[in-house]
Amino acid sequence: MLLFSVDRSPMKRISILFVCMGNICRSPLAEGIFGHLVAEAGLTGGFMIDSAGTGGWHEGEPPDRRSIATAKSHSIDISGQRARRIRPRDFRDFDLILAMDRDNLAALEKSAPHGANIHLFGDAALGTGEDITDPYYGGPDGFELVYTRLLTGCCRLLETLGVERASCSGNTSSVR
């Protein structure tokens, strides 16, 4: 069952914004994973992918070193990303905004104009309704778990958007 819709006309780029609290752990990983999968599928020109945070504590900073290390261990480089806070124009500029957890979803819904296409990542990408837990206060295992859930969701999201990928099985070795 499709929980969201985006304009998939041939000439339209699909724009997706991944959102967590500070834009240094989960959403940069999601942006990196989805961008990697899109590039692997040869569809870079068909997508605009970005990430943001509901808070601005880390604006201008690179992702958390543990997110960078986790992505790097799967051959994805997110070190060039910089944290930013969600902007009012994001609600207009992005076809789909995916919040990593219910707290961020609620924060987005409070500031979004009517009709913004905002969903919980766990609903739209995973179909489970789960929150992607913030690994910030834990160790490397938490970041790897987040990576695995994001990979599974990003693969399913790409398939939902009409991209067939044989290597998108949720297996973490598929992007190493």
Side-chain angles (χ1 to χ4, degrees), residues 4-5 14 20 33 47 68 86 133 135-136 144-145 162 168:
F4 60 91
S5 73
I14 298 171
C20 67
I33 292 165
F47 287 88
I68 292 171
I86 189 120
T133 18
Y136 185 78
E144 189 61 35
L145 178 61
C168 256

Side-chain angles (χ1 to χ4, degrees), residues 99-107 109 120 123 128-132:
M100 293 293 125
D101 62 38
R102 283 171 179 75
D103 289 341
N104 289 297
L105 180 66
E109 288 173 339
L120 183 67
D123 284 336
T128 61
E130 70 189 82
D131 283 347
I132 301 298

Side-chain angles (χ1 to χ4, degrees), residues 12 15 18 27 38 62 131:
K12 169 87 168 77
S15 55
F18 298 97
S27 57
V38 164
D131 283 347

Side-chain angles (χ1 to χ4, degrees), residues 22-126:
N23 192 213
I24 60 168
C25 294
R26 297 167 289 175
S27 57
L29 271 173
E31 177 187 349
I33 292 165
F34 196 76
H36 182 82
L37 295 172
V38 164
E40 267 192 343
L43 299 169
T44 305
F47 287 88
M48 182 176 81
I49 306 157
D50 200 0
S51 61
T54 54
W57 313 278
H58 301 285
E59 281 189 279
E61 294 177 17
D64 184 286
R65 62 181 169 69
R66 296 164 295 176
S67 284
I68 292 171
T70 300
K72 186 176 182 176
S73 75
H74 295 280
S75 303
I76 299 172
D77 182 10
I78 63 169
S79 62
Q81 294 182 25
R82 293 296 175 261
R84 71 175 184 87
R85 188 175 192 168
I86 189 120
R87 301 179 291 247
R89 74 173 194 234
D90 289 332
F91 297 109
R92 177 187 69 243
D93 292 348
F94 287 91
D95 298 316
L96 181 61
I97 299 174
L98 296 174
M100 293 293 125
D101 62 38
R102 283 171 179 75
D103 289 341
N104 289 297
L105 180 66
L108 288 169
E109 288 173 339
K110 277 184 191 172
S111 57
H114 178 72
N117 201 6
I118 303 168
H119 299 275
L120 183 67
F121 182 89
D123 284 336
L126 291 166

Side-chain angles (χ1 to χ4, degrees), residues 70 73-74 135 139-149 172 176:
T70 300
S73 75
H74 295 280
D141 289 349
F143 283 82
E144 189 61 35
L145 178 61
V146 164
Y147 175 87
T148 301
R149 297 310 292 148
T172 56
R176 284 184 193 230

